[in-house]
Amino acid sequence: MVLILGLFLVLPILMALWVSLLDWDGQSNPFSGQAKFVGLDNYRALLTEDGLDRALFATSLRNNVYYVALTVPLQTGLALVLALIVNQRLLRARGALRTTFFFPSVTSSIAVSTVFLFLFQGSGAVNTLLSWIGVKGPNWFADSRGVLSTLLGGLGIVDPEHPAGALADHSFMGLSWYEWLSGPSVAMCTIILLAVWTTSGTFMLIFLAALQDIPRELEEAAAIEGVNRRQMLRHVTLPALRPVLFLVLTLGTIATWQVFDQVYVMGQGAPGNTTLTPAFLSYSTAFDGADFGQGAAIAFILLALILLITALQRWALRERGPRPGRNR
């Protein structure tokens, strides 16, 4: 096992780390000395140096932050609700419901993305349904407007076309604060909806297994004490699910930071780079731009972000024991 992990996991990671320190176009052997060694220049171009590379990377980070911030809570909450529904012992057709809820998770993401392209196009089924209630739907995958900035503009708080003040005058990594805070685009919201629909079934099964592992004696004792359903959920069920909740949040966070296939099928960053993500940027930089060094650098920055966020989640969801009292 150690040999297999070293050969197919550790060694490729070390090779990719070496490539991230090179200026390599993929046409030569990066370990023969033919590729130019540039050290941390690829990382500097992405993090500290003004230019297109940093602007694109910052844009991809902004998009992915909104994607993670919306997708992970929504898919986790929906998965927990579905698990609580299908875990009811008196519910009829529980098996059929479980299969129905889980079915999107086993469907090809490429196929589902293609179906969503047809559903959310300008004259698709979604806009047709909206027109029945008098709502004119947008051209979803061609709409680059930020949802938050559009909402604030509609309320007259800011001017989306000509932002002013501190939001426009200050910037971070080449993007103004207004661009950072404008919210996910309409196109990105569609991808978020797709991700929540296709992943909640998998996490539902994880929650369901954990719910069925809670001792019935614990629930019966709480019921005898007169605990209602809301109190049962808050004080009995959720504390028992803490380890599984950490697992679901960790898996969801890792998957959302690595989102690639939906972005590749549904626009490849368009419109206006509002669906660009670090994973897709790493791919396009390496294979389309023939800059494998910078593509690998993006991947390792993404790895560092995932490890940091996972550590923060572990700290936030850690078991907290009772505080020791003072000796008097």
Side-chain angles (χ1 to χ4, degrees):
M1 182 183 67
V2 173
L3 179 62
I4 292 175
L5 288 176
L7 182 61
F8 293 102
L9 182 63
V10 178
L11 183 59
I13 291 176
L14 295 177
M15 294 169 66
L17 181 61
W18 171 253
V19 169
S20 72
L21 304 176
L22 304 176
D23 181 12
W24 182 49
D25 60 0
Q27 300 299 317
S28 60
N29 187 348
F31 308 104
S32 63
Q34 300 178 14
K36 180 182 178 181
F37 180 81
V38 295
L40 298 178
D41 286 353
N42 289 323
Y43 294 91
R44 293 192 191 98
L46 294 169
L47 299 175
T48 62
E49 297 179 359
D50 292 333
L52 180 61
D53 294 334
R54 189 177 71 161
L56 285 176
F57 183 61
T59 301
S60 70
L61 284 180
R62 177 202 62 186
N63 298 336
N64 220 144
V65 165
Y66 283 112
Y67 181 82
V68 173
L70 291 175
T71 302
V72 174
L74 288 175
Q75 69 185 9
T76 303
L78 179 59
L80 180 57
V81 171
L82 294 178
L84 291 172
I85 291 174
V86 299
N87 190 50
Q88 299 180 42
R89 298 182 180 90
L90 301 179
L91 181 67
R92 295 183 179 180
R94 286 188 299 169
L97 286 176
R98 293 173 186 176
T99 302
T100 302
F101 294 151
F102 182 66
F103 182 76
S105 300
V106 298
T107 307
S108 169
S109 60
I110 304 299
V112 175
S113 300
T114 304
V115 171
F116 263 62
L117 283 174
F118 285 101
L119 291 177
F120 284 89
Q121 62 181 338
S123 58
V126 173
N127 281 350
T128 301
L129 291 176
L130 291 176
S131 66
W132 291 353
I133 57 175
V135 177
K136 183 180 179 181
N139 193 356
W140 298 88
F141 292 109
D143 198 331
S144 61
R145 295 175 299 167
V147 174
L148 183 57
S149 63
T150 302
L151 177 61
L152 295 177
L155 296 175
I157 299 176
V158 297
D159 184 359
E161 300 297 330
H162 304 284
L167 292 178
D169 297 337
H170 297 80
S171 63
F172 176 68
M173 291 185 66
L175 296 183
S176 67
W177 283 115
Y178 177 78
E179 291 176 300
W180 279 102
L181 300 175
S182 60
S185 66
V186 176
M188 178 59 81
C189 289
T190 310
I191 299 179
I192 291 172
L193 179 62
L194 168 64
V196 172
W197 185 68
T198 55
T199 57
S200 57
T202 300
F203 296 136
M204 177 201 69
L205 290 185
I206 297 176
F207 278 127
L208 181 61
L211 288 172
Q212 293 179 346
D213 197 43
I214 298 177
R216 294 188 61 179
E217 295 79 6
L218 186 62
E219 298 178 351
E220 292 172 354
I224 293 175
E225 294 293 331
V227 174
N228 57 38
R229 290 187 176 182
R230 181 178 298 178
Q231 294 172 330
M232 180 81 71
L233 177 64
R234 179 179 177 182
H235 298 289
V236 177
T237 305
L238 291 181
L241 293 178
R242 184 188 298 270
V244 177
L245 182 61
F246 170 73
L247 172 65
V248 169
L249 289 175
T250 300
L251 293 177
T253 301
I254 293 174
T256 49
W257 273 107
Q258 295 178 338
V259 59
F260 174 83
D261 45 356
Q262 295 94 337
V263 175
Y264 183 86
V265 174
M266 304 172 77
Q268 302 187 10
N273 291 326
T274 57
T275 60
L276 184 67
T277 61
F280 181 78
L281 181 62
S282 175
Y283 163 81
S284 61
T285 300
F287 292 94
D288 295 336
D291 192 348
F292 287 84
Q294 192 169 99
I298 295 173
F300 276 97
I301 295 175
L302 183 59
L303 172 63
L305 282 173
I306 291 174
L307 293 177
L308 176 62
I309 295 173
T310 302
L312 291 176
Q313 285 181 341
R314 185 176 182 84
W315 175 82
L317 295 175
R318 70 190 186 280
E319 293 287 346
R320 295 176 175 85
R323 296 182 179 179
R326 293 183 178 180
N327 296 324
R328 299 187 179 182

